[in-house]
Amino acid sequence: MKCIAAVIICLLLSVTGSAAAAQCVSRTAPALDFTLHCLGTDTPAAANATASASGPTLLIVGGIQGDEPGGFNAASLVASHYTITRGSVWVVPDLNFPSIIKRSRGIHGDMNRKFARLPRRDPEFDTVARIKSIILDPRVDAVLNLHDGSGFYRPQWEDAQRNPNRWGQSVIIDQSDIKAQRFSNLELLARNAVDHVNSELLDTAHRYYLKNTHTSMGDREMEKTLTYFAILHGKPAFGIEASKQFPTHIRAYYHLQILESFMRQMGIQFRRHFPLTKGGVYAAIERDVAMRLYDGRITLPLDDIRRAVNYVPMRKDRPVTFSPLRPLVTLLPQSGSFDVYYGNRRLTAIRPQYFDFDDTLHSVTLDIDGRTVAASPGDIVSVNKVFAVRPLAGYRVNVIGMTRDGVDDEAGLAVRREDFMPGFSLDTGESLYRVEVYRLRQGRDDAFAGMLIMNFGGPQSRQQLAMEAPDAMNAAGTEKKADQAGR
């Protein structure tokens, strides 16, 4: 099975400078299928490479249960912020995307209990069958399933939150070893990962432990899980749990520490494009989140976007297509609008205005702070004080949020930040403003040709928070009180 059997979405990093190859596929809303990201030497371009030639392959799965954002955000960061230089890492960050959107363990029941047997009538039958086929791909050498678990696992009873019935802060194996060509000593690999993460604790109370469920000895619940399915088919597999007592970025921090330990033990070499600290993880999750619409004619930065964006140009004649620039970003149609989600967080509502589209515009020339800049539709253009769009024959320019009496075409006008009316920025920091270009058509309504985002470089509230208060978490990242739920 090729890595592109599931949809592969954009892996683009405009800021971090990742060397990962860009794989962009436009998606049509609604889009809630899971995505597979292949990093490293064993990619779709090298589909026939043998394991010995390309190095080992690790499969990372996040989001099998939709109420565990530490796991699916950590998996997403591997897909978007890591470069694999030896070996391969395949990442499914959003296996149960519909449940992620709903913040539900499982809207059709617990998907992690559907790997032993499942009737074809089950709504998740196809999803489970496809992830099984990825697990069974002969190039996959080991599997990590990422979870957020209740409380703190402890081998002996300490209190109600720290006892053998809890799952958080544990590395889980179904048995001590497995008959496999490589990585057969499950207990040794898991203990090494535990030792590593315990050397990087943010607090000594966060200590990790190894948990062996001895599944084959009659644990009927664990027999139904993804990891045990892998074990039964000769694939080393591990469950990784971070405690639900922590905010999302702290959970993701611990997941990444353990993931990196497994990669090193497997001989997978990598570069990470952010510091592995609690503040670094928080910033990596929150920054540079964006999506493109209609083959890049429109780019929407999502880091600090307003709760609703009005009059976004959309095509009259076909469904909306989009390319997320990060995993976990999707677009869902509602009555008269589209909701943008990033994982389990609804970021904004896009309220469309429908136009014919014109695809002939390829470049726009601007005068910005005394210099000449060429831009393309969909670009985000930095401005310090003032800009002007040079007139375009056959087109008109609309600077959204600025009005000049009697002016239909705002090309050639000097525009400053103070010229915009309040509330017309894309972002709450009032730094990002839209410039739209329309093709003039005699006797018909003008056709939308492209959008530029002018960035005046003001404060971004989430980015500031990431640097100033990395322990803070917005309400969307706060979990309900954990119960006994775990793996």
Side-chain angles (χ1 to χ4, degrees):
M1 176 180 181
K2 293 184 179 180
C3 296
I4 55 173
V7 179
I8 301 178
I9 64 173
C10 277
L11 299 180
L12 295 178
L13 285 177
S14 60
V15 175
T16 59
S18 171
Q23 307 261 3
C24 298
V25 175
S26 289
R27 313 183 75 192
T28 300
L32 285 174
D33 197 8
F34 74 80
T35 56
L36 174 64
H37 307 256
C38 300
L39 289 71
T41 53
D42 201 356
T43 63
N48 296 320
T50 64
S52 60
S54 60
T57 296
L58 173 65
L59 172 63
I60 299 170
V61 179
I64 194 170
Q65 291 154 339
D67 60 348
E68 299 179 355
F72 60 72
N73 275 285
S76 173
L77 288 182
V78 174
S80 62
H81 284 66
Y82 280 65
T83 300
I84 305 304
T85 57
R86 181 185 182 276
S88 302
V89 176
W90 295 3
V91 188
V92 175
D94 49 7
L95 182 60
N96 195 348
F97 213 162
S99 295
I100 289 173
I101 295 295
K102 296 293 186 181
R103 299 184 173 216
S104 167
R105 183 174 176 87
I107 60 175
H108 299 296
D110 189 344
M111 187 183 286
N112 203 34
R113 298 297 184 270
K114 297 185 176 184
F115 285 80
R117 59 192 64 85
L118 190 64
R120 186 169 290 275
R121 66 179 180 274
D122 189 286
E124 295 172 331
F125 181 88
D126 287 341
T127 297
V128 172
R130 285 187 294 117
I131 193 63
K132 282 182 174 180
S133 71
I134 294 171
I135 292 169
L136 297 179
D137 188 295
R139 289 169 288 175
V140 171
D141 294 293
V143 181
L144 299 182
N145 195 11
L146 308 188
H147 294 274
D148 300 346
S150 65
F152 300 84
Y153 170 74
R154 294 292 185 267
Q156 289 83 37
W157 181 277
E158 296 180 13
D159 56 42
Q161 288 295 320
R162 297 165 179 80
N163 61 67
N165 295 322
R166 295 293 183 175
W167 294 90
Q169 304 304 92
S170 65
V171 177
I172 303 165
I173 54 176
D174 291 283
Q175 56 199 51
S176 295
D177 52 39
I178 184 176
K179 292 183 179 179
Q181 288 186 343
R182 294 194 285 184
F183 316 121
S184 60
N185 192 332
L186 306 181
E187 184 170 342
L188 176 63
L189 289 163
R191 286 196 183 280
N192 288 341
V194 168
D195 289 345
H196 168 74
V197 71
N198 283 339
S199 72
E200 302 291 341
L201 296 177
L202 300 175
D203 187 296
T204 56
H206 300 175
R207 186 172 182 82
Y208 266 78
Y209 290 86
L210 172 67
K211 183 172 186 173
N212 189 338
T213 59
H214 301 286
T215 301
S216 64
M217 298 174 66
D219 192 324
R220 301 305 181 198
E221 285 298 300
M222 294 301 100
E223 287 177 354
K224 305 172 187 176
T225 63
L226 180 151
T227 54
Y228 196 59
F229 169 82
I231 293 292
L232 289 177
H233 290 83
K235 301 281 183 147
F238 307 82
I240 312 300
E241 298 268 1
S243 177
K244 288 184 176 180
Q245 301 294 327
F246 304 141
T248 295
H249 67 294
I250 301 298
R251 304 182 204 182
Y253 166 84
Y254 283 122
H255 279 301
L256 293 170
Q257 289 285 359
I258 294 171
L259 290 176
E260 290 192 3
S261 173
F262 275 100
M263 286 193 280
R264 292 188 185 101
Q265 292 185 75
M266 292 177 67
I268 294 172
Q269 297 175 5
F270 60 88
R271 292 195 303 271
R272 177 184 2 93
H273 302 286
F274 61 94
L276 189 47
T277 62
K278 59 184 179 181
V281 172
Y282 185 92
I285 291 173
E286 297 297 326
R287 287 181 175 177
D288 308 318
V289 184
M291 68 164 38
R292 291 174 175 160
L293 304 177
Y294 301 110
D295 299 321
R297 293 261 145 195
I298 299 170
T299 298
L300 292 179
L302 301 172
D303 293 9
D304 192 36
I305 197 165
R306 292 183 181 274
R307 300 304 293 176
V309 180
N310 296 322
Y311 305 113
V312 175
M314 290 193 174
R315 297 191 78 129
K316 288 181 178 179
D317 55 348
R318 66 186 66 176
V320 59
T321 57
F322 70 99
S323 298
L325 271 68
R326 290 280 292 273
L328 304 177
V329 174
T330 196
L331 188 67
L332 301 181
Q334 303 298 331
S335 177
S337 65
F338 295 85
D339 283 347
V340 179
Y341 276 85
Y342 177 37
N344 60 2
R345 291 182 281 169
R346 177 187 172 278
L347 298 184
T348 191
I350 296 175
R351 295 167 183 160
Q353 185 174 10
Y354 291 98
F355 295 91
D356 291 330
F357 271 42
D358 179 90
D359 298 329
T360 61
L361 180 67
H362 301 295
S363 181
V364 179
T365 302
L366 304 96
D367 295 308
I368 301 177
D369 301 320
R371 56 194 173 89
T372 301
V373 175
S376 299
D379 282 354
I380 300 174
V381 184
S382 295
V383 185
N384 184 20
K385 293 182 179 180
V386 61
F387 74 90
V389 181
R390 290 189 182 177
L392 292 155
Y395 297 88
R396 68 174 177 88
V397 172
N398 186 9
V399 180
I400 305 300
M402 185 194 77
T403 59
R404 299 282 173 88
D405 291 340
V407 177
D408 292 327
D409 180 6
E410 292 165 335
L413 299 180
V415 182
R416 294 171 174 80
R417 188 173 185 171
E418 55 267 27
D419 293 327
F420 291 92
M421 294 181 288
F424 277 83
S425 64
L426 278 175
D427 62 324
T428 63
E430 298 191 338
S431 301
L432 304 174
Y433 294 90
R434 295 153 50 186
V435 172
E436 297 175 1
V437 182
Y438 291 84
R439 180 79 176 186
L440 300 174
R441 302 192 302 180
Q442 189 171 5
R444 291 188 293 167
D445 292 338
D446 297 342
F448 174 78
M451 180 189 295
L452 302 176
I453 304 298
M454 308 308 296
N455 180 11
F456 282 90
Q460 299 277 322
S461 60
R462 287 182 183 167
Q463 294 183 16
Q464 283 188 322
L465 181 59
M467 305 297 16
E468 295 170 7
D471 285 324
M473 198 66 187
N474 58 34
T478 303
E479 300 303 312
K480 297 178 181 178
K481 184 177 180 181
D483 56 16
Q484 289 284 348
R487 184 188 181 206

